[in-house]
Amino acid sequence: MDFTPSEEQSAARELAARIFGDLSTHERLVAAGTGTDAGLWKELCTAGLPGAVEDIGLLGLVLLLEEQGRTTAQVPLAATCVYGLLAVAGHGTPEQRERLLPALRDGTAVATGAFPARGGVRAVDGALYGVVPWVPWLRDATHVLVADDERGSWIVEARAPGVSVVPVETTAPWSAGRLGLDGVRAESLGAGPGAYASVLAASRTAFAGLQAGVCAGSLARAVQHTTTRKQFGRPLSTNQGVLLRAADAHMDTEAIRVTAYEAAWRYDRQLGHEAQALTAAWWASEGGRRVVHTGQHLHGGTGADLDHPVHRHFLWGRQLDAYLGCGAELLEELGLLLAGGDRTREGAS
């Protein structure tokens, strides 16, 4: 395996880092509240970054999401790319790709996903019924990829008859909403089986990459704080307890990153990747939770300030900890997969 980014992937990551660094500032995030930064999303789409994901692959997307996570930029990049661009490009029919991809590439369409399947939606003759308690970035979405209780994948227009969207607030400011489906006419994603498992694995890998960036940003803030804050005449970073906590957080962050890279690399090469995606998601849940707690703890009393930037990393880290399955659920699913157990339970977490 070689995770060295290609020239195209490196260029896309550098462009993303520059845009996020320039525009996803503390002041803009405060102004955005719990909603999406529409100006930042427009800038990303004008630069062609969402559309580039078809060329740079899932590994390239993971690199972009790392840069987003460092600044906790409030844009639906992960959802649109995973549940929209990659899902339709990889599993859609030729007609679906021709109709849906152009708007997803230029940002005039925003996709999200009601994933994983948790038994709340049933399909009856192409019509969907049920409720999904919360869906990330649903308030911004034009299209929703919905998983039914039989692991079918359906494309739903967010403003179609029978769709209801009720805003809900989640731990992280992800413009989420409660999705209601009452006889909504939907179209199946593609013509064959396998879309659900593939999309779920890709989403787990992508959001693990996002968590790697969130953790890296939290740790960077903690390092900056502990090296400049003095106690008893010397920097906090010279205390052994601080050094050990920071070292453990660094190792957890690297574990999230490398497992996400491996899963994405295998996905792009059409190799088996379900176990690797679950491993990355487990590290993102378990390791990510430890890192953002450490980042906040190492700020001391400052970390308790809800308006401090490090608290935003804490909120994102805890949201990503549970999204798409918490650690214990993922570990059970991975065990069943490795043991060759009931594969129908895959993604049921």
Side-chain angles (χ1 to χ4, degrees):
M1 291 178 288
D2 183 3
F3 305 148
T4 304
S6 66
E7 184 177 341
E8 293 78 10
Q9 290 169 338
S10 295
R13 178 173 61 180
E14 291 169 7
L15 178 57
R18 184 163 64 251
I19 294 174
F20 286 128
D22 290 345
L23 298 182
S24 186
T25 61
H26 177 61
E27 292 73 23
R28 284 182 67 116
L29 289 168
V30 170
T34 61
T36 297
D37 187 334
L40 175 55
W41 178 242
K42 181 179 180 180
E43 189 70 23
L44 290 170
C45 295
T46 299
L49 287 175
V53 170
E54 290 178 85
D55 296 321
I56 63 178
L58 183 57
L59 180 55
L61 175 59
V62 166
L63 297 175
L64 300 185
L65 293 175
E66 273 194 85
E67 300 304 328
Q68 178 186 358
R70 292 178 196 276
T71 62
T72 60
Q74 291 171 202
V75 289
L77 180 61
T80 292
C81 290
V82 170
Y83 299 121
L85 280 159
L86 291 179
V88 174
H91 304 283
T93 64
E95 188 277 332
Q96 287 173 334
R97 292 196 293 268
E98 182 178 0
R99 171 166 48 90
L100 298 172
L101 287 178
L104 290 167
R105 290 175 185 135
D106 64 22
T108 54
V110 172
T112 189
F115 267 66
R118 290 191 168 96
V121 177
R122 69 184 190 280
V124 181
D125 298 326
L128 301 183
Y129 299 84
V131 173
V132 183
W134 76 275
V135 178
W137 288 287
L138 182 60
R139 283 178 264 168
D140 300 323
T142 58
H143 296 80
V144 186
L145 188 62
V146 179
D148 67 26
D149 55 6
E150 298 294 331
R151 309 296 187 259
S153 300
W154 303 85
I155 301 171
V156 173
E157 293 187 11
R159 290 164 182 79
V163 175
S164 64
V165 175
V166 179
V168 296
E169 297 303 333
T170 52
T171 302
W174 284 4
S175 295
R178 175 181 179 272
L179 177 66
L181 302 165
D182 186 11
V184 178
R185 304 307 303 181
E187 58 177 312
S188 177
L189 175 64
Y196 173 81
S198 177
V199 172
L200 181 58
S203 62
R204 282 173 166 162
T205 302
F207 281 95
L210 183 61
Q211 181 76 302
V214 170
C215 290
S218 175
L219 185 56
R221 291 187 182 280
V223 169
Q224 194 276 334
H225 176 79
T226 56
T227 55
T228 56
R229 176 84 170 178
K230 291 186 176 181
Q231 190 177 61
F232 305 117
R234 62 177 187 174
L236 288 172
S237 59
T238 60
N239 294 326
Q240 188 178 41
V242 172
L243 290 170
L244 292 174
R245 288 292 300 276
D248 286 342
H250 172 73
M251 294 301 294
D252 276 334
T253 301
E254 289 303 302
I256 300 168
R257 177 182 288 116
V258 74
T259 53
Y261 284 4
E262 180 184 5
W265 183 87
R266 294 182 67 89
Y267 177 95
D268 288 339
R269 282 156 181 77
Q270 299 182 338
L271 302 172
H273 55 270
E274 295 169 72
Q276 287 76 15
L278 281 164
T279 302
W282 183 86
W283 273 107
S285 176
E286 295 289 308
R289 183 174 66 252
R290 289 193 294 265
V291 172
V292 295
H293 274 270
T294 294
Q296 189 152 345
H297 187 198
L298 290 181
H299 278 76
T302 304
D305 183 356
L306 301 185
D307 296 323
H308 193 280
V310 77
H311 186 67
R312 191 175 294 109
H313 289 271
F314 176 79
L315 295 178
W316 278 66
R318 290 312 309 262
Q319 185 76 57
L320 287 162
D321 161 25
Y323 182 53
L324 300 177
C326 69
E329 294 171 318
L330 294 164
L331 196 60
E332 179 188 16
E333 191 177 334
L334 178 59
L336 287 168
L337 178 64
L338 295 178
D342 183 3
R343 296 293 294 276
T344 64
R345 294 189 59 184
E346 185 174 315
S349 58

